[in-house]
Amino acid sequence: MQKLDWELYLLPFEQAVEEIKVKLKNIRNELRKRKEHSPIEFVTGRVKSVPSIYNKANRLQFPIDENICWELRDIAGIRIICQFIDDIPAVVEMIRKRNDMRIYLEKDYVSKPKESGYRGYHLAVEYRLMTARGEVTIPVEIQIRTLNMNFWATIEHSLNYKYEGIIPSDIRQRLIEAAKASSTLDSEMNNIREEIKEAQVEFTTREVPMESLLSLVELDLDVDDEETGDGLTTIEGKKHYDDDDELAKGS
């Protein structure tokens, strides 16, 4: 089996992440300039590191070859954060209408959360991009969450990292209860979303942009490590993006 040149192999994935981030951010900025509500609050992305690719491929027993990207499906990862639950299907519909990517797998953990309490909406898409050698199509994973969902997943991932994937049962139960509380908060905020939108418009007219508040919670998906749960967290100065094994398996 020919050894992969990882620097060259990962180039289109790096390009795809940057392109998609710019495209989605441009949509958000255009909607805001048109004084319309943007379902996209912020966008982050990362390319999986080579050690993490090997770790996951070995765990799932996939051979390391040219097709490994289609087996794992998440070498290129994008995360979209929304304010409201109703923004999630709006973002999915936006992606569905694009002609530069095609959804071929969906995982709805919003209406059907995982046993752990994790919530989010995952898409596996085929993304077309132009390289120096012509057009190529690669797989990209897109995760869509509300701010509350992302916060919960961050904490859960931190605990998984601390306990090496085996969280004590009492803490696990507290996490499940916290997930329920987070879901209730999302539902309540969704119920008063029109009032919240009006308040945010008033904020911007007073030159106090929401971005100044959201910058406190915006994180980059620039480094990933061995996956133990769903989430994005900062550990010892490194940011970790975790993967959805079920999505990778195609189940």
Side-chain angles (χ1 to χ4, degrees):
M1 180 172 58
Q2 185 177 3
K3 186 177 180 180
L4 292 178
D5 183 333
W6 286 108
E7 186 174 3
L8 289 177
Y9 187 81
L10 294 178
L11 272 178
F13 299 92
E14 294 168 0
Q15 181 181 335
V17 166
E18 293 307 311
E19 285 187 8
I20 295 173
K21 284 168 59 180
V22 168
K23 290 175 178 179
L24 294 175
K25 289 178 181 180
N26 283 343
I27 291 174
R28 177 195 63 191
N29 295 340
E30 179 185 344
L31 288 172
R32 288 179 177 174
K33 289 181 178 180
R34 292 181 181 276
K35 308 300 182 184
E36 299 177 20
H37 172 70
S38 170
I40 299 172
E41 203 57 62
F42 61 86
V43 183
T44 54
R46 68 93 182 94
V47 175
K48 187 182 283 294
S49 68
V50 175
S52 187
I53 291 172
Y54 272 99
N55 287 340
K56 191 165 187 177
N58 290 336
R59 188 171 68 253
L60 299 177
Q61 298 183 335
F62 292 140
I64 302 292
D65 56 26
E66 289 284 343
N67 293 320
I68 188 60
C69 63
W70 294 102
E71 298 287 358
L72 299 184
R73 296 174 179 164
D74 65 346
I75 289 180
I78 296 289
R79 183 169 298 153
I80 302 171
I81 306 300
C82 308
Q83 286 193 70
F84 308 109
I85 294 176
D86 281 355
D87 289 335
I88 293 178
V91 171
V92 173
E93 190 60 25
M94 278 184 178
I95 294 172
R96 204 183 303 281
K97 291 179 178 178
R98 298 189 65 89
N99 58 18
D100 57 350
M101 60 181 75
R102 183 186 72 84
I103 300 172
Y104 65 93
L105 184 63
E106 301 185 35
K107 291 288 184 178
D108 181 2
Y109 299 122
V110 177
S111 61
K112 297 179 180 179
K114 292 185 176 183
E115 289 186 7
S116 64
Y118 172 81
R119 294 181 300 139
Y121 204 98
H122 295 193
L123 302 174
V125 305
E126 295 175 345
Y127 180 72
R128 298 200 306 274
L129 73 160
M130 291 300 300
T131 70
R133 294 193 172 184
E135 184 178 273
V136 298
T137 299
I138 63 170
V140 177
E141 181 190 70
I142 300 177
Q143 295 183 352
I144 311 169
R145 300 172 178 169
T146 64
L147 290 161
N148 286 323
M149 294 173 191
N150 197 56
F151 175 69
W152 184 93
T154 297
I155 299 304
E156 196 255 2
H157 183 68
S158 299
L159 291 170
N160 263 310
Y161 188 90
K162 175 182 178 180
Y163 292 107
E164 299 181 345
I166 306 176
I167 299 177
S169 58
D170 60 327
I171 297 178
R172 173 61 67 187
Q173 186 58 41
R174 288 187 177 188
L175 273 176
I176 293 173
E177 294 303 317
K180 293 177 182 177
S182 173
S183 178
T184 299
L185 179 59
D186 265 335
S187 296
E188 289 300 318
M189 291 300 175
N190 201 62
N191 290 337
I192 59 171
R193 62 187 179 279
E194 295 307 321
E195 287 80 2
I196 295 173
K197 290 177 187 177
E198 290 175 7
Q200 290 173 352
V201 169
E202 185 174 343
F203 242 62
T204 56
T205 58
R206 293 183 182 181
E207 297 185 350
V208 186
M210 282 303 296
E211 290 91 331
S212 64
L213 301 178
L214 292 167
S215 63
L216 298 175
V217 295
E218 183 166 356
L219 302 171
D220 289 326
L221 299 170
D222 55 358
V223 178
D224 65 83
D225 201 353
E226 184 173 356
E227 306 80 359
T228 54
D230 286 278
L232 170 68
T233 189
T234 303
I235 302 172
E236 298 178 350
K238 294 184 179 181
K239 298 182 181 69
H240 299 262
Y241 171 101
D242 186 63
D243 315 287
D244 173 38
D245 288 343
E246 291 184 55
L247 188 61
K249 293 176 184 176
S251 60

